[in-house]
Amino acid sequence: AQKITQTQPGMFVQEKEAVTLDCTYDTSDPSYGLFWYKQPSSGEMIFLIYQGSYDQQNATEGRYSLNFQKARKSANLVISASQLGDSAMYFCAMREGPNNLFFGTGTRLTVIP
Amino acid sequence: EAQVTQNPRYLITVTGKKLTVTCSQNMNHEYMSWYRQDPGLGLRQIYYSMNVEVTDKGDVPEGYKVSRKEKRNFPLILESPSPNQTSLYFCASRARGDYTDTQYFGPGTRLTVL
């Protein structure tokens, strides 16, 4: 079974609007971390936001927030007030224990002026 | 500036010609990893290292070697590259090694094997 599932290969959003990128995960480990990364066309991987499995509140970092629904095993990324520079690939990832970081296949977000 | 560096950034080579991609971090991180990124597959871990002289296989280790002789460096070695190793490669490092640990990535190395 896939550890991380991102079901939206591509998304479009109007500039200044909010957008939600979906991510579901699969684990039986009670301790895990969830991460979102942004990959612009230049190729680098940029860390955006982190949510721990025991965190009670949803993580927020500026215009990014993580909608964490533990019972549903979902960790959706919400980007508010989209900007043209937000156009990129977005990857959801999960770590169980000390080692591997499992990545989803990514969602390509395009912001329309 | 805290960073992970990789060299070269771009490399075109031919089948069977040994190559090394270097990776260095200046954050005194204990954990380092190598990933490859292929379209539709996301990132997959090749090898990781928990400390100097401690390395282990990730999900796709075949055809690769690594070494960790110093804490800051973690080179990826392709002894006999093949076209199916054409990919975008990322080195990454992190501090503590527990599940809360944020991983920082290098800029990537785009490798083409002809």
Side-chain angles (χ1 to χ4, degrees), chain B residues 22-26 28-32 49-55 66-75 91 93:
Chain B
T22 64
C23 172
S24 184
Q25 50 94 4
N26 63 0
N28 201 35
H29 285 169
E30 292 192 352
Y31 276 65
M32 297 185 75
S49 170
M50 292 180 281
N51 213 324
V52 175
E53 303 291 2
V54 182
T55 63
V66 293
S67 69
R68 188 93 180 271
K69 292 182 169 50
E70 305 166 280
K71 197 171 187 178
R72 63 182 291 129
N73 296 325
F74 190 44
C91 180
S93 75

mmCIF file of all heavy atoms in Angstrom, chain B residues 22-26 28-32 49-55 66-75 91 93:
data_model
loop_
_atom_site.group_PDB
_atom_site.id
_atom_site.type_symbol
_atom_site.label_atom_id
_atom_site.label_comp_id
_atom_site.label_asym_id
_atom_site.label_seq_id
_atom_site.Cartn_x
_atom_site.Cartn_y
_atom_site.Cartn_z
ATOM 1 N N THR B 22 29.171 14.561 -5.309
ATOM 2 C CA THR B 22 29.534 14.931 -3.945
ATOM 3 C C THR B 22 28.378 15.636 -3.251
ATOM 4 O O THR B 22 27.530 16.265 -3.880
ATOM 5 C CB THR B 22 30.767 15.834 -3.927
ATOM 6 O OG1 THR B 22 30.450 17.073 -4.588
ATOM 7 C CG2 THR B 22 31.935 15.168 -4.621
ATOM 8 N N CYS B 23 28.354 15.501 -1.935
ATOM 9 C CA CYS B 23 27.362 16.165 -1.093
ATOM 10 C C CYS B 23 28.037 16.603 0.185
ATOM 11 O O CYS B 23 28.763 15.820 0.810
ATOM 12 C CB CYS B 23 26.207 15.217 -0.780
ATOM 13 S SG CYS B 23 25.047 15.878 0.432
ATOM 14 N N SER B 24 27.775 17.838 0.580
ATOM 15 C CA SER B 24 28.366 18.360 1.802
ATOM 16 C C SER B 24 27.355 19.235 2.528
ATOM 17 O O SER B 24 26.604 19.971 1.894
ATOM 18 C CB SER B 24 29.614 19.182 1.460
ATOM 19 O OG SER B 24 30.254 19.627 2.618
ATOM 20 N N GLN B 25 27.338 19.144 3.867
ATOM 21 C CA GLN B 25 26.454 19.990 4.668
ATOM 22 C C GLN B 25 27.263 20.660 5.776
ATOM 23 O O GLN B 25 28.213 20.089 6.310
ATOM 24 C CB GLN B 25 25.282 19.171 5.244
ATOM 25 C CG GLN B 25 25.662 17.896 5.959
ATOM 26 C CD GLN B 25 25.836 18.007 7.466
ATOM 27 O OE1 GLN B 25 25.593 19.081 8.054
ATOM 28 N NE2 GLN B 25 26.228 16.908 8.105
ATOM 29 N N ASN B 26 26.841 21.885 6.107
ATOM 30 C CA ASN B 26 27.590 22.665 7.104
ATOM 31 C C ASN B 26 26.797 22.867 8.388
ATOM 32 O O ASN B 26 27.050 23.817 9.130
ATOM 33 C CB ASN B 26 28.006 24.006 6.496
ATOM 34 C CG ASN B 26 26.828 24.877 6.111
ATOM 35 O OD1 ASN B 26 25.678 24.491 6.293
ATOM 36 N ND2 ASN B 26 27.111 26.046 5.575
ATOM 37 N N ASN B 28 26.336 20.398 10.755
ATOM 38 C CA ASN B 28 26.735 19.400 11.739
ATOM 39 C C ASN B 28 25.645 18.345 11.949
ATOM 40 O O ASN B 28 25.491 17.790 13.047
ATOM 41 C CB ASN B 28 27.106 20.037 13.088
ATOM 42 C CG ASN B 28 27.991 19.125 13.928
ATOM 43 O OD1 ASN B 28 28.825 18.396 13.411
ATOM 44 N ND2 ASN B 28 27.794 19.154 15.232
ATOM 45 N N HIS B 29 24.885 18.060 10.899
ATOM 46 C CA HIS B 29 23.825 17.062 10.977
ATOM 47 C C HIS B 29 24.399 15.656 10.993
ATOM 48 O O HIS B 29 25.375 15.361 10.304
ATOM 49 C CB HIS B 29 22.874 17.208 9.787
ATOM 50 C CG HIS B 29 21.975 18.375 9.900
ATOM 51 N ND1 HIS B 29 21.196 18.812 8.846
ATOM 52 C CD2 HIS B 29 21.702 19.212 10.930
ATOM 53 C CE1 HIS B 29 20.485 19.859 9.238
ATOM 54 N NE2 HIS B 29 20.779 20.121 10.490
ATOM 55 N N GLU B 30 23.739 14.790 11.753
ATOM 56 C CA GLU B 30 24.194 13.406 11.813
ATOM 57 C C GLU B 30 23.638 12.572 10.660
ATOM 58 O O GLU B 30 24.301 11.698 10.141
ATOM 59 C CB GLU B 30 23.784 12.780 13.152
ATOM 60 C CG GLU B 30 24.531 13.397 14.328
ATOM 61 C CD GLU B 30 24.361 12.604 15.607
ATOM 62 O OE1 GLU B 30 23.543 11.665 15.625
ATOM 63 O OE2 GLU B 30 25.048 12.934 16.587
ATOM 64 N N TYR B 31 22.376 12.823 10.297
ATOM 65 C CA TYR B 31 21.719 12.013 9.281
ATOM 66 C C TYR B 31 21.867 12.645 7.900
ATOM 67 O O TYR B 31 21.622 13.833 7.719
ATOM 68 C CB TYR B 31 20.228 11.879 9.589
ATOM 69 C CG TYR B 31 19.898 10.779 10.551
ATOM 70 C CD1 TYR B 31 20.329 10.817 11.857
ATOM 71 C CD2 TYR B 31 19.144 9.690 10.141
ATOM 72 C CE1 TYR B 31 20.022 9.804 12.738
ATOM 73 C CE2 TYR B 31 18.822 8.665 11.017
ATOM 74 C CZ TYR B 31 19.262 8.731 12.318
ATOM 75 O OH TYR B 31 18.956 7.724 13.184
ATOM 76 N N MET B 32 22.254 11.817 6.951
ATOM 77 C CA MET B 32 22.288 12.257 5.565
ATOM 78 C C MET B 32 21.686 11.164 4.687
ATOM 79 O O MET B 32 21.745 9.978 5.025
ATOM 80 C CB MET B 32 23.726 12.573 5.125
ATOM 81 C CG MET B 32 24.352 13.725 5.922
ATOM 82 S SD MET B 32 25.974 14.212 5.338
ATOM 83 C CE MET B 32 25.557 15.101 3.826
ATOM 84 N N SER B 49 22.584 7.546 5.919
ATOM 85 C CA SER B 49 23.674 7.378 6.881
ATOM 86 C C SER B 49 23.272 8.038 8.193
ATOM 87 O O SER B 49 22.834 9.189 8.204
ATOM 88 C CB SER B 49 24.949 8.027 6.354
ATOM 89 O OG SER B 49 25.939 8.085 7.356
ATOM 90 N N MET B 50 23.412 7.282 9.268
ATOM 91 C CA MET B 50 23.041 7.811 10.586
ATOM 92 C C MET B 50 24.219 8.467 11.297
ATOM 93 O O MET B 50 24.022 9.136 12.307
ATOM 94 C CB MET B 50 22.459 6.683 11.434
ATOM 95 C CG MET B 50 21.122 6.200 10.909
ATOM 96 S SD MET B 50 20.405 4.876 11.882
ATOM 97 C CE MET B 50 21.351 3.482 11.286
ATOM 98 N N ASN B 51 25.419 8.240 10.795
ATOM 99 C CA ASN B 51 26.593 8.886 11.371
ATOM 100 C C ASN B 51 27.817 8.422 10.590
ATOM 101 O O ASN B 51 27.701 7.622 9.647
ATOM 102 C CB ASN B 51 26.743 8.543 12.854
ATOM 103 C CG ASN B 51 27.344 9.691 13.655
ATOM 104 O OD1 ASN B 51 28.213 10.422 13.149
ATOM 105 N ND2 ASN B 51 26.899 9.860 14.870
ATOM 106 N N VAL B 52 28.959 8.906 10.980
ATOM 107 C CA VAL B 52 30.205 8.533 10.294
ATOM 108 C C VAL B 52 30.370 7.015 10.326
ATOM 109 O O VAL B 52 30.162 6.376 11.355
ATOM 110 C CB VAL B 52 31.404 9.220 10.968
ATOM 111 C CG1 VAL B 52 32.714 8.750 10.347
ATOM 112 C CG2 VAL B 52 31.279 10.731 10.851
ATOM 113 N N GLU B 53 30.693 6.472 9.150
ATOM 114 C CA GLU B 53 30.925 5.036 8.970
ATOM 115 C C GLU B 53 29.676 4.179 9.195
ATOM 116 O O GLU B 53 29.778 2.952 9.271
ATOM 117 C CB GLU B 53 32.054 4.537 9.890
ATOM 118 C CG GLU B 53 33.390 5.253 9.707
ATOM 119 C CD GLU B 53 34.060 4.930 8.377
ATOM 120 O OE1 GLU B 53 33.488 4.180 7.557
ATOM 121 O OE2 GLU B 53 35.159 5.468 8.131
ATOM 122 N N VAL B 54 28.498 4.785 9.263
ATOM 123 C CA VAL B 54 27.251 4.031 9.420
ATOM 124 C C VAL B 54 26.343 4.358 8.243
ATOM 125 O O VAL B 54 25.826 5.488 8.127
ATOM 126 C CB VAL B 54 26.530 4.375 10.742
ATOM 127 C CG1 VAL B 54 25.254 3.526 10.861
ATOM 128 C CG2 VAL B 54 27.436 4.141 11.933
ATOM 129 N N THR B 55 26.154 3.398 7.349
ATOM 130 C CA THR B 55 25.281 3.613 6.194
ATOM 131 C C THR B 55 24.342 2.422 6.044
ATOM 132 O O THR B 55 24.645 1.325 6.515
ATOM 133 C CB THR B 55 26.079 3.798 4.893
ATOM 134 O OG1 THR B 55 26.812 2.590 4.613
ATOM 135 C CG2 THR B 55 27.059 4.960 5.001
ATOM 136 N N VAL B 66 27.731 4.340 -1.429
ATOM 137 C CA VAL B 66 27.953 5.572 -0.678
ATOM 138 C C VAL B 66 29.079 5.335 0.317
ATOM 139 O O VAL B 66 29.466 4.200 0.582
ATOM 140 C CB VAL B 66 26.689 6.030 0.091
ATOM 141 C CG1 VAL B 66 25.581 6.466 -0.856
ATOM 142 C CG2 VAL B 66 26.210 4.948 1.044
ATOM 143 N N SER B 67 29.577 6.437 0.863
ATOM 144 C CA SER B 67 30.536 6.346 1.963
ATOM 145 C C SER B 67 30.326 7.545 2.875
ATOM 146 O O SER B 67 29.841 8.591 2.450
ATOM 147 C CB SER B 67 31.970 6.297 1.440
ATOM 148 O OG SER B 67 32.336 7.551 0.876
ATOM 149 N N ARG B 68 30.679 7.372 4.134
ATOM 150 C CA ARG B 68 30.555 8.477 5.103
ATOM 151 C C ARG B 68 31.801 8.447 5.991
ATOM 152 O O ARG B 68 31.799 7.938 7.099
ATOM 153 C CB ARG B 68 29.286 8.294 5.943
ATOM 154 C CG ARG B 68 29.005 9.499 6.829
ATOM 155 C CD ARG B 68 28.100 10.481 6.204
ATOM 156 N NE ARG B 68 27.820 11.633 7.035
ATOM 157 C CZ ARG B 68 26.826 11.713 7.915
ATOM 158 N NH1 ARG B 68 26.045 10.674 8.133
ATOM 159 N NH2 ARG B 68 26.631 12.823 8.591
ATOM 160 N N LYS B 69 32.855 9.027 5.471
ATOM 161 C CA LYS B 69 34.120 9.047 6.200
ATOM 162 C C LYS B 69 34.230 10.281 7.104
ATOM 163 O O LYS B 69 34.995 10.301 8.070
ATOM 164 C CB LYS B 69 35.290 9.000 5.226
ATOM 165 C CG LYS B 69 35.406 7.662 4.499
ATOM 166 C CD LYS B 69 36.597 7.621 3.577
ATOM 167 C CE LYS B 69 36.884 6.231 3.062
ATOM 168 N NZ LYS B 69 35.705 5.541 2.512
ATOM 169 N N GLU B 70 33.498 11.316 6.738
ATOM 170 C CA GLU B 70 33.458 12.529 7.547
ATOM 171 C C GLU B 70 32.000 12.884 7.759
ATOM 172 O O GLU B 70 31.161 12.571 6.917
ATOM 173 C CB GLU B 70 34.143 13.693 6.830
ATOM 174 C CG GLU B 70 35.554 13.450 6.397
ATOM 175 C CD GLU B 70 35.984 14.544 5.420
ATOM 176 O OE1 GLU B 70 35.624 14.452 4.246
ATOM 177 O OE2 GLU B 70 36.650 15.492 5.873
ATOM 178 N N LYS B 71 31.719 13.596 8.836
ATOM 179 C CA LYS B 71 30.337 13.912 9.159
ATOM 180 C C LYS B 71 29.700 14.800 8.105
ATOM 181 O O LYS B 71 28.518 14.653 7.787
ATOM 182 C CB LYS B 71 30.270 14.613 10.521
ATOM 183 C CG LYS B 71 28.893 14.631 11.145
ATOM 184 C CD LYS B 71 28.984 15.152 12.561
ATOM 185 C CE LYS B 71 27.652 15.034 13.265
ATOM 186 N NZ LYS B 71 27.723 15.490 14.662
ATOM 187 N N ARG B 72 30.437 15.703 7.523
ATOM 188 C CA ARG B 72 29.853 16.678 6.620
ATOM 189 C C ARG B 72 29.660 16.162 5.188
ATOM 190 O O ARG B 72 28.898 16.738 4.428
ATOM 191 C CB ARG B 72 30.694 17.941 6.607
ATOM 192 C CG ARG B 72 32.108 17.771 6.101
ATOM 193 C CD ARG B 72 32.877 19.083 6.172
ATOM 194 N NE ARG B 72 32.355 20.035 5.204
ATOM 195 C CZ ARG B 72 32.008 21.288 5.511
ATOM 196 N NH1 ARG B 72 32.119 21.732 6.728
ATOM 197 N NH2 ARG B 72 31.565 22.093 4.582
ATOM 198 N N ASN B 73 30.342 15.097 4.815
ATOM 199 C CA ASN B 73 30.327 14.656 3.407
ATOM 200 C C ASN B 73 29.677 13.295 3.231
ATOM 201 O O ASN B 73 29.893 12.371 4.042
ATOM 202 C CB ASN B 73 31.750 14.600 2.860
ATOM 203 C CG ASN B 73 32.402 15.958 2.815
ATOM 204 O OD1 ASN B 73 31.741 16.953 2.551
ATOM 205 N ND2 ASN B 73 33.698 16.016 3.086
ATOM 206 N N PHE B 74 28.936 13.150 2.140
ATOM 207 C CA PHE B 74 28.231 11.888 1.873
ATOM 208 C C PHE B 74 28.157 11.701 0.354
ATOM 209 O O PHE B 74 27.117 11.937 -0.273
ATOM 210 C CB PHE B 74 26.840 11.945 2.497
ATOM 211 C CG PHE B 74 26.098 10.631 2.508
ATOM 212 C CD1 PHE B 74 26.716 9.441 2.864
ATOM 213 C CD2 PHE B 74 24.735 10.598 2.196
ATOM 214 C CE1 PHE B 74 26.019 8.251 2.895
ATOM 215 C CE2 PHE B 74 24.026 9.405 2.228
ATOM 216 C CZ PHE B 74 24.671 8.229 2.571
ATOM 217 N N PRO B 75 29.233 11.260 -0.276
ATOM 218 C CA PRO B 75 29.239 11.109 -1.738
ATOM 219 C C PRO B 75 28.431 9.909 -2.207
ATOM 220 O O PRO B 75 28.370 8.876 -1.531
ATOM 221 C CB PRO B 75 30.730 10.938 -2.059
ATOM 222 C CG PRO B 75 31.331 10.387 -0.797
ATOM 223 C CD PRO B 75 30.540 10.973 0.331
ATOM 224 N N CYS B 91 20.610 15.144 -2.404
ATOM 225 C CA CYS B 91 21.197 14.826 -1.118
ATOM 226 C C CYS B 91 20.419 15.607 -0.062
ATOM 227 O O CYS B 91 19.913 16.704 -0.334
ATOM 228 C CB CYS B 91 22.665 15.242 -1.119
ATOM 229 S SG CYS B 91 23.531 14.906 0.416
ATOM 230 N N SER B 93 20.023 16.324 4.470
ATOM 231 C CA SER B 93 20.563 16.095 5.809
ATOM 232 C C SER B 93 19.549 16.533 6.853
ATOM 233 O O SER B 93 18.663 17.356 6.577
ATOM 234 C CB SER B 93 21.890 16.830 6.007
ATOM 235 O OG SER B 93 21.694 18.224 6.185
#
